[in-house]
Amino acid sequence: MGLPPALLIAWIEELEQFGAARAPDQGIVMVGPMLIQHGTVEQQQRFLPKILSGEHVWCQGYSEPNSGSDLASLRTEAVQASDEKGAHFIVNGQKIWTTLAQDATCIFMLVRTDKHAKKQEGISFLLCELSTPGITIRPITTLAGEQEFCEVFFDNVRVPAENLVGRLHGGWTVAKALLGFERIFLGSPKQSQYALGQLARLAKSRHLETDPIFMQRYTALRLDVADLTAAYTAFADIVKQGNPLPASVSLLKIWASETYHRIGTLLAESCNELGAVAGDQLLDGQSFNALAPLFGSTSAMIYGGTNEIQRNILARQVLDLPA
Ligand SMILES: Cc1cc2nc3c(=O)[nH]c(=O)nc-3n(C[C@H](O)[C@H](O)[C@H](O)COP(=O)(O)OP(=O)(O)OC[C@H]3O[C@@H](n4cnc5c(N)ncnc54)[C@H](O)[C@@H]3O)c2cc1C
């Protein structure tokens, strides 16, 4: 629909409200806004319509083995070259934890274009079609038994020079702008609200409302979710007004994922022995997936920058604590 930020957030909130599955939308929430800010007119005309039509499905190629939290140490290399077909980059290296790469058609990625510059200053931002010869995608099975992310290998992959976003060696600036869009979506209270609903359903079916210890923990979690929802609304309002998110948005990601994790823990504990079994289980005549929120929240504390890294950001950029 090509919505402005305020309506895009409202649209995602409505989908979540009705429990609709979220399509792989990294093109819409990340690549599109980034191209509008940093792409050339030619890139906008080439990529934006295909993002909106769903023809292009994007995945994010940042992390590498040994380059996760310390992302700027990444080593996937792109070397400039030129031949009769035009200027291009030759890419070699490996990405990992690339969510849904097996279903995507394109990858946006950070590559090293200058090995001698300071870490952040030798990185460029490239767009690449996953059908390009030399790319191998190998799905990884998660703890939950699902194939959700992949290893992506690049072996002499030719990427046209016009797929460079921003200036050569200027990819870090583009990547940081794009993270801003990601942060608000990572702070959504919906996962916690959903898990809390599961907990309420379990409490009803197992008559846990009469257990004062359970009720004390459940009530505290309800209040935590209310706090999270209020904090999310405040940050979402900043985005809706078209303003950049402050560094303090890191607290939203921490609060969202850790509240979700606390609920997941109580859900698994309250299912007694079935809390140790993966998948849907019948409990007192009702179906529960006791471990799903615990698995989901454990990875939520890692992806999008781990909670330890978010705490470092708060310490340095918000609280001004010494390094
Ligand atoms: C479900 C899931 C989906 C993901 N999807 C994608 C994706 O689509 N694209 C992509 O590029 N990446 C993706 N990632 C990767 C994710 O961004 C990284 O896992 C994350 O940044 C951490 O990097 P790492 O795994 O290398 O851990 P490391 O950086 O090796 O960290 C290991 C541990 O050390 C801690 N640590 C590291 N440095 C510090 C420090 N300076 N101070 C304090 N503690 C520190 C970390 O917090 C962590 O607990 C995904 C990850 C998950 C779990």
Side-chain angles (χ1 to χ4, degrees):
M1 290 183 282
L3 300 175
L7 289 179
L8 179 59
I9 290 180
W11 163 247
I12 291 174
E13 284 172 356
E14 287 302 309
L15 285 179
E16 289 173 335
Q17 187 73 26
F18 285 92
R22 192 160 151 194
D25 59 2
Q26 299 204 44
I28 292 195
V29 300
M30 296 167 94
V31 186
M34 182 276 300
L35 281 178
I36 290 167
Q37 268 187 18
H38 295 276
T40 61
V41 173
E42 189 271 332
Q43 286 169 340
Q44 292 170 359
Q45 286 171 349
R46 191 151 52 103
F47 291 108
L48 294 181
K50 290 185 177 174
I51 289 174
L52 289 176
S53 70
E55 186 181 336
H56 278 177
V57 176
W58 287 85
C59 62
Q60 179 183 35
Y62 283 12
S63 305
E64 297 180 6
N66 302 317
S67 297
S69 299
D70 183 15
L71 185 60
S73 67
L74 62 91
R75 285 181 302 177
T76 293
E77 194 182 11
V79 176
Q80 283 181 287
S82 186
D83 60 17
E84 68 285 355
K85 288 191 205 146
H88 56 274
F89 292 92
I90 298 290
V91 179
N92 279 289
Q94 185 197 342
K95 297 291 173 182
I96 193 166
W97 316 126
T98 319
T99 298
L100 296 177
Q102 75 271 32
D103 296 331
T105 59
C106 304
I107 185 167
F108 58 97
M109 59 177 176
L110 293 174
V111 290
R112 184 152 305 283
T113 40
D114 185 350
K115 285 200 274 196
H116 306 293
K118 229 178 91 185
K119 277 197 301 192
Q120 281 88 346
E121 288 161 18
I123 292 173
S124 298
F125 195 105
L126 288 185
L127 307 175
C128 176
E129 300 218 8
L130 284 169
S131 57
T132 315
I135 298 181
T136 308
I137 299 170
R138 212 155 64 191
I140 302 170
T141 303
T142 66
L143 184 65
E146 279 148 22
Q147 295 197 332
E148 206 181 274
F149 44 32
C150 302
E151 292 177 287
V152 184
F153 298 89
F154 297 84
D155 182 11
N156 286 322
V157 175
R158 182 192 167 105
V159 178
E162 59 266 25
N163 286 15
L164 171 75
V165 182
R167 61 175 181 80
L168 186 68
H169 314 315
W172 196 248
T173 313
V174 181
K176 275 199 301 190
L178 199 139
L179 277 182
F181 301 114
E182 191 179 13
R183 293 255 147 91
I184 190 71
F185 296 109
L186 293 175
S188 167
K190 291 300 170 202
Q191 290 172 313
S192 292
Q193 289 168 349
Y194 175 77
L196 195 68
Q198 294 293 98
L199 197 53
R201 195 164 67 86
L202 182 79
K204 202 160 182 209
S205 95
R206 311 211 75 191
H207 308 295
L208 295 172
E209 298 105 325
T210 55
D211 176 344
I213 296 176
F214 173 86
M215 282 313 286
Q216 188 189 22
R217 290 175 72 185
Y218 174 73
T219 307
L221 289 168
R222 274 188 64 182
L223 295 175
D224 286 348
V225 174
D227 279 348
L228 169 64
T229 308
Y232 171 80
T233 306
F235 283 105
D237 281 345
I238 298 176
V239 177
K240 286 177 186 171
Q241 284 155 18
N243 294 321
L245 284 165
S248 58
V249 72
S250 287
L251 73 83
L252 189 64
K253 198 253 169 174
I254 296 171
W255 192 243
S257 54
E258 295 185 2
T259 301
Y260 184 27
H261 192 257
R262 282 192 293 275
I263 301 170
T265 305
L266 184 56
L267 186 70
E269 285 175 15
S270 307
C271 287
N272 295 349
E273 67 277 9
L274 286 180
V277 184
D280 289 334
Q281 311 293 328
L282 262 190
L283 200 65
D284 298 330
Q286 285 205 41
S287 173
F288 288 95
N289 190 328
L291 283 175
L294 199 57
F295 283 150
S297 59
T298 302
S299 60
M301 294 194 291
I302 299 170
Y303 60 67
T306 68
N307 285 13
E308 289 80 12
I309 295 299
Q310 305 298 334
R311 286 187 162 86
N312 285 350
I313 294 171
L314 290 175
R316 292 194 191 125
Q317 295 180 33
V318 180
L319 301 173
D320 207 15
L321 296 176

